[in-house]
Each structure stands twice: as C-alpha cells, then as structure tokens.
Amino acid sequence: TGYRTSFSLISSGMPVHKDLTESSGTEVFIEKTNMTEDNLGIATMYAGILTSDNPKGIKGLVPKSKAFYVKAINEKKHSSVSAIGSSILWSMIQKVDVAILTTLPKKKSSHIEQVLRKAYMMNLCVFVHRSNISKAWEDNPHITIIDSEQAETISIKNKNDKLVIAVNNNYTTYLNNKYIIADEKTASLSIAAGLALILIQKNKNNKSKYTPNFVRNQLINLSKKG
C-alpha cells in the first residue's frame, strides 16, 4: 500500500479528484502564478495510478503513500532550471522517498546535476521517463530512467540493462472527476514509481539499508529477461 513511504510529483500541480487521497503538501515554483491546482490534467493522471483509493473506481498502487505535489510547469508545459532544481530541493526537505520528474531541460545544467547528486546521497530515488529527457541526461547516475512499450499485459522487462515497463490501456483519474486512458509514458512512469515505493516500504519494514541504485536493481530483478 506504500504505508510509511512518500513521494513528490514534480509536474503541473496538485490534482483534484474525488478518488484521490489528500495531499501531504504542495508548492509552486513557476513564475506568474499562485494557483497550486493542476489545470492541465498531467499530475492528475499520474496521481490516479499511484494514490487513487476508490474500491468502486480507480485503485492506485500505493494509496497509503504520502503525496507531495509541486507545480514546476506552466500552462504551456514549459519549465525552467530554477523551477526543477527548487522542486527537487523542496522534495528533499520533505524527506520523500521517490521524486517523479515529468521534465528536464534539454541541455545539461550544473545546478540540477548538483541537486540530483545531493538527492542521491539522501536516498531520494528520482524517476524520469526517457521521452522526457535529452541524450545529455542519459548517463546521469543519479536518476532512474524508465523506458516503456505497449503490450497486452503489464510487465517489467530488462532490455540491455534498461528498465522497460510494458503497459496496456491503464485507466486513471482526470480533470473534473473524469477518467481517461493514460498515455504510455504516464502509465509506465507511475507504475515504476509505485513499485519502487512498495519495495522501499518492504526495505523499511525489514530495516534494510538501501540506495536509489539498489531500488533500481530490485526493480530489474522483478523483470523478465528480454
């Protein structure tokens, strides 16, 4: 259920939907707005797969995990180095276990690299989908990159040491208390983060030490060779 774990979703703000559990904190790091709510629907789609808790509707992977939401992209889906760096730092202050990044700048940023390095040292697992990054970030050792593909059933695959999440027609929450089929990127990244939170919960229950790389390897160990 994700009990005793927490995550931050660095995206379009705080989702509002009747199926979602309450947020544990919100923050805004983009300019020219004070509105914390998600008005794009991006964060709402991620949140549904993770924390929705409606037995008659959508049931998320980790409904007991504490959810923190950060608005780091504007209405045009643009962000900035400052917004992303501040969002990760804020996540560290909240002592979350997993941070879900829905964007990174195309060019390398020494500021963000330093923040990611510090986050790794604090055992903060940072997840991002490969489609949300440029090649400049592919070799960064402080983030876990998720690949995805369409398949008939949900599964985890290890392809040349790439963590691939196979997804298929995953319904999730959306704006105005509606539902929608999540796109491949959203579904796979949410599922990977949710599984990581479950593994972190298990490690905490067993009082086992772990690092972000160890959690990534645990996910790979669940995978099917392919």
Side-chain angles (χ1 to χ4, degrees):
T1 62
Y3 179 67
R4 290 181 62 214
T5 70
S6 59
F7 71 91
S8 66
L9 178 55
I10 300 171
S11 185
S12 54
M14 182 183 71
V16 179
H17 194 283
K18 61 184 177 62
D19 285 5
L20 298 178
T21 56
E22 291 185 9
S23 81
S24 296
T26 62
E27 189 55 86
V28 177
F29 286 113
I30 55 173
E31 298 178 353
K32 299 180 181 180
T33 183
N34 292 317
M35 186 177 72
T36 59
E37 289 81 7
D38 172 25
N39 58 352
L40 294 177
I42 299 172
T44 307
M45 289 192 288
Y46 280 96
I49 296 173
L50 288 162
T51 69
S52 55
D53 196 14
N54 182 355
K56 296 181 179 180
I58 302 293
K59 190 73 174 179
L61 286 169
V62 285
K64 298 298 183 182
S65 185
K66 291 183 178 180
F68 293 83
Y69 299 104
V70 191
K71 178 170 279 194
I73 60 175
N74 61 22
E75 288 75 10
K76 295 181 180 180
K77 301 181 182 179
H78 296 159
S79 189
S80 66
V81 168
S82 174
I84 297 169
S86 297
S87 298
I88 301 170
L89 285 169
W90 185 81
S91 302
M92 292 161 59
I93 293 171
Q94 306 308 316
K95 298 181 180 180
V96 302
D97 300 296
V98 170
I100 302 165
L101 272 176
T102 59
T103 185
L104 271 174
K106 290 184 178 180
K107 295 181 179 180
K108 277 192 175 182
S109 160
S110 58
H111 171 62
I112 292 179
E113 285 186 317
Q114 290 175 6
V115 172
L116 288 171
R117 188 180 302 113
K118 188 172 183 179
Y120 186 94
M121 293 173 64
M122 292 183 65
N123 269 4
L124 171 54
C125 304
V126 180
F127 282 75
V128 62
H129 194 275
R130 191 175 297 276
S131 66
N132 287 332
I133 63 173
S134 65
K135 289 185 178 180
W137 294 97
E138 289 184 349
D139 295 326
N140 190 291
H142 305 120
I143 56 177
T144 296
I145 299 172
I146 303 300
D147 289 85
S148 61
E149 65 181 26
Q150 287 287 331
E152 291 186 1
T153 58
I154 295 174
S155 63
I156 308 171
K157 299 179 181 180
N158 178 8
K159 291 188 174 181
N160 298 320
D161 202 36
K162 291 181 179 179
L163 187 56
V164 181
I165 308 294
V167 297
N168 179 37
N169 294 340
N170 298 94
Y171 278 90
T172 187
T173 50
Y174 196 58
L175 299 175
N176 301 316
N177 286 328
K178 294 181 179 180
Y179 302 94
I180 193 171
I181 294 177
D183 60 274
E184 180 183 307
K185 172 182 66 179
T186 302
S188 60
L189 186 55
S190 302
I191 290 169
L195 291 174
L197 287 163
I198 292 170
L199 290 171
I200 290 170
Q201 178 186 5
K202 181 179 179 181
N203 286 319
K204 287 185 175 182
N205 290 343
N206 294 336
K207 297 182 179 180
S208 303
K209 292 183 178 180
Y210 62 91
T211 65
N213 193 52
F214 180 75
V215 172
R216 178 185 181 276
N217 289 336
Q218 283 186 307
L219 282 172
I220 287 179
N221 287 338
L222 297 174
S223 68
K224 298 178 180 179
K225 300 293 183 181

